[in-house]
Amino acid sequence: MQLYNTLSAEERAIMIDDAGKQRLTLSFYAYAKIQDPKKFRDDLFLAWNALDALGRIYVANEGINAQMSIPEENLEAFRATLEVYDFMKGIRLNEAVEHDDHSFLKLTIKVRDKIVADGLNDETFDVTDIGVHLKAKEFNEILDDPNTIVVDFRNHYESEVGHFKGAITPDVETFRESLPIINDQLQNHKEDKNLVMYCTGGIRCEKASAYFKHQGFKNVFQLEGGIINYAKQIEAEGLESKFIGKNFVFDNRLGERITDDIISQCHQCGKPCDNHTNCENDGCHLLFIQCDECKAAMENCCSTECLEVIHMPLVDQVRLRTGKQVGNKVFRKGKSDSLKFKHSGELPNTALGTTEKTVDIRQKIKVKKVLLGKAEHYYVKAQVGLFTIENHELNWGDTILISGPTTGNKELILEKMIVNEAEATTAKIGDRVTFEVPFRIRLSDKLYKIVN
């Protein structure tokens, strides 16, 4: 039985494009007693892999938390795989506000201690005694009540690009950090205020609302289905959006637009911007906000130090990060002295700019191609690129495509190449190939062969 991925993200992206089928991005969660999470995980993998479902899913003794991408035509078959389990019968599937066929490129199902890392001891309080669920209309109405305190239970890099007006937005990097901070901050309002909370899809509020009721808060409410469901409801019912900006999401999209307002700034130049990127330096991967101009100038890097690193030979880059501790100390979420325009904590409720309308963010099939390999180096003076061939063969006369976040998509016909330091007409898997490239390439660039 195949219980793991056999394709790389790049190969899967090509298959999605070649299939030409629209995909849905959706999320769901359920708290339930699962006796054997490992078997549950394996059963789900087999059922979902057969439906070409992709995503990031966590299962534990306490339930399931899933963010996924599935072919639109397989939606009902996917629902049927959920209906097998009593606790997921009729479960709400939060469909994304903006779909992207490449939102997920692997099916990853992991067994965890908890489906959300909250740092709580569930044995010390009733986790089923949750707050009152509010639909969008009810949520809007309670926000207008002067006795309401609304709290964003997401992290600083999420709330920075979008939040409900007037919300408390804790300056935290993890959900578990926000619980004691808010509890301490609101100690004097346990009985006289409405404690209203929200998060992306609702799962964090399920546990948080029970925790705050246990702490003595009398009037606890939560946004049903989170921001994702709220956005769907206000559109369907023609309601005012009290959420402003973009909803951060944990997939390749890194965000979906709720309103046209931009409330954050490029962390490097200060221009109104709410597009996140990860630093190109594999030893950093800092998540930060970067405008198109800075992205081009800095080549997706967060600092000049990282920009210098990505132009080093790969062996030197690996040496620099060898022995470094992984986790948030390396792969940080938007906190760095290099980011001059980073904001956290108390955030504005007014727009700094507005975004241009987009027609459709789905990936479109432009050309049929197969992945050959990746860029290793670019010799600026000679205008020569070095590539490693990882899949298929490359031949003299092939039409090739070099693609990357900064480079874009550049096609050219291969007229001459050096294979393992000797001129040749064919390069095979494992070969190192150099040839003239009349534009700068980056280490993140991929090399493809056009097959149509």
Side-chain angles (χ1 to χ4, degrees):
M1 294 187 295
Q2 181 193 333
L3 297 174
Y4 56 89
N5 287 286
T6 59
L7 296 175
S8 68
E10 291 83 0
E11 291 171 320
R12 179 68 69 176
I14 293 170
M15 289 182 63
I16 289 173
D17 285 348
D18 288 347
K21 298 176 181 177
Q22 291 192 331
R23 301 180 67 90
L24 299 176
T25 302
L26 51 85
S27 60
F28 62 93
Y29 67 89
Y31 281 99
K33 294 294 183 182
I34 299 175
Q35 298 300 321
D36 189 346
K38 176 62 167 61
K39 182 180 185 304
F40 179 57
R41 178 264 174 212
D42 291 347
D43 290 343
L44 290 179
F45 192 98
L46 289 171
W48 292 348
N49 192 49
L51 295 175
D52 192 23
L54 307 171
R56 186 186 304 110
I57 302 94
Y58 300 129
V59 299
N61 288 115
E62 67 174 1
I64 181 171
N65 179 17
Q67 296 85 41
M68 303 190 67
S69 164
I70 62 171
E72 190 170 31
E73 63 184 25
N74 291 347
L75 178 59
E76 292 310 313
F78 178 77
R79 285 186 187 274
T81 67
L82 305 179
E83 296 288 326
V84 170
Y85 304 94
D86 289 340
F87 71 90
M88 288 197 287
K89 288 184 181 295
I91 193 171
R92 181 187 63 247
L93 301 180
N94 279 337
E95 288 194 17
V97 177
E98 297 175 332
H99 295 287
D100 186 331
D101 295 340
H102 289 181
S103 58
F104 290 98
L105 296 174
K106 289 186 178 182
L107 177 58
T108 303
I109 310 178
K110 294 183 177 181
V111 176
R112 292 282 179 86
D113 292 333
K114 288 193 171 188
I115 55 177
V116 175
D118 51 39
L120 299 174
N121 182 352
D122 294 354
E123 302 301 321
T124 61
F125 66 102
D126 184 358
V127 296
T128 66
D129 184 21
I130 60 176
V132 177
H133 283 86
L134 299 175
K135 296 187 181 300
K137 186 174 185 297
E138 300 167 319
F139 194 81
N140 277 1
E141 290 171 351
I142 203 169
L143 291 188
D144 290 333
D145 187 333
N147 289 318
T148 290
I149 296 175
V150 60
V151 180
D152 189 327
F153 276 99
R154 301 172 303 150
N155 305 319
H156 66 85
Y157 53 91
E158 299 175 78
S159 57
E160 184 178 10
V161 296
H163 54 260
F164 279 96
K165 297 175 182 178
I168 296 173
T169 53
D171 185 10
V172 296
E173 290 198 24
T174 63
F175 171 51
R176 69 173 67 192
E177 292 177 69
S178 63
L179 296 172
I181 291 174
I182 295 301
N183 186 40
D184 181 66
Q185 188 173 341
L186 303 182
Q187 276 297 306
N188 297 327
H189 300 292
K190 290 186 176 182
E191 297 190 10
D192 66 330
K193 297 291 185 181
N194 300 317
L195 176 55
V196 179
M197 55 188 66
Y198 68 91
C199 57
T200 306
I203 187 170
R204 284 176 270 192
C205 293
E206 289 287 297
K207 189 65 69 72
S209 65
Y211 169 76
F212 280 99
K213 290 186 71 174
H214 173 70
Q215 292 295 320
F217 288 83
K218 302 301 182 185
N219 306 305
V220 181
F221 303 86
Q222 62 194 93
L223 179 58
E224 183 179 81
I227 300 164
I228 298 172
N229 198 39
Y230 176 86
K232 292 283 188 180
Q233 289 182 8
I234 61 170
E235 181 179 10
E237 299 174 30
L239 303 174
E240 173 195 0
S241 175
K242 292 186 178 292
F243 185 96
I244 181 171
K246 180 185 281 188
N247 179 34
F248 184 93
V249 292
F250 294 88
D251 58 58
N252 292 334
R253 296 172 298 156
L254 292 179
E256 54 185 13
R257 186 153 299 286
I258 307 300
T259 71
D260 293 335
D261 306 289
I262 298 175
I263 64 171
S264 53
Q265 298 172 278
C266 171
H267 286 163
Q268 293 175 319
C269 73
K271 174 184 175 180
C273 178
D274 54 12
N275 295 325
H276 278 97
T277 190
N278 282 105
C279 181
E280 191 70 23
N281 177 13
D282 284 336
C284 176
H285 275 316
L286 177 72
L287 179 73
F288 67 108
I289 298 173
Q290 189 177 46
C291 69
D292 290 343
E293 289 81 1
C294 288
K295 183 183 289 288
M298 296 296 292
E299 300 182 33
N300 286 37
C301 291
C302 69
S303 64
T304 54
E305 291 78 10
C306 285
L307 182 60
E308 291 173 1
V309 169
I310 69 168
H311 288 289
M312 293 180 179
L314 183 59
V315 63
D316 291 337
Q317 293 187 47
V318 172
R319 177 181 53 77
L320 280 177
R321 60 178 183 265
T322 298
K324 280 191 176 181
Q325 183 179 352
V326 296
N328 283 337
K329 289 188 177 179
V330 176
F331 299 93
R332 303 182 309 281
K333 299 289 191 279
K335 292 292 185 71
S336 169
D337 292 338
S338 298
L339 306 178
K340 305 302 182 184
F341 296 91
K342 164 68 184 172
H343 301 295
S344 294
E346 190 173 341
L347 298 171
N349 296 314
T350 55
L352 301 175
T354 56
T355 186
E356 296 179 1
K357 292 283 187 180
T358 55
V359 178
D360 188 355
I361 69 166
R362 288 185 186 274
Q363 302 291 329
K364 300 298 182 183
I365 302 171
K366 295 182 174 65
V367 292
K368 288 188 177 181
K369 58 187 184 294
V370 293
L371 178 67
L372 293 175
K374 61 185 180 182
E376 296 286 359
H377 192 64
Y378 181 68
Y379 302 93
V380 179
K381 291 185 177 179
Q383 289 192 310
V384 168
L386 170 63
F387 299 83
T388 297
I389 304 299
E390 299 175 338
N391 306 287
H392 308 285
E393 287 187 355
L394 175 64
N395 295 289
W396 177 85
D398 283 343
T399 300
I400 58 175
L401 172 73
I402 299 173
S403 177
T406 303
T407 304
N409 295 309
K410 305 282 190 179
E411 283 189 32
L412 56 92
I413 297 175
L414 189 60
E415 298 180 347
K416 180 181 178 181
M417 63 179 173
I418 305 298
V419 179
N420 300 329
E421 301 183 359
E423 189 170 342
T425 58
T426 299
K428 299 181 179 180
I429 296 175
D431 287 343
R432 289 163 64 85
V433 180
T434 56
F435 51 82
E436 290 186 7
V437 182
F439 47 84
R440 178 184 288 276
I441 64 171
R442 282 84 181 176
L443 291 182
S444 59
D445 290 353
K446 305 298 181 184
L447 175 65
Y448 298 89
K449 177 163 63 175
I450 305 301
V451 295
N452 58 337

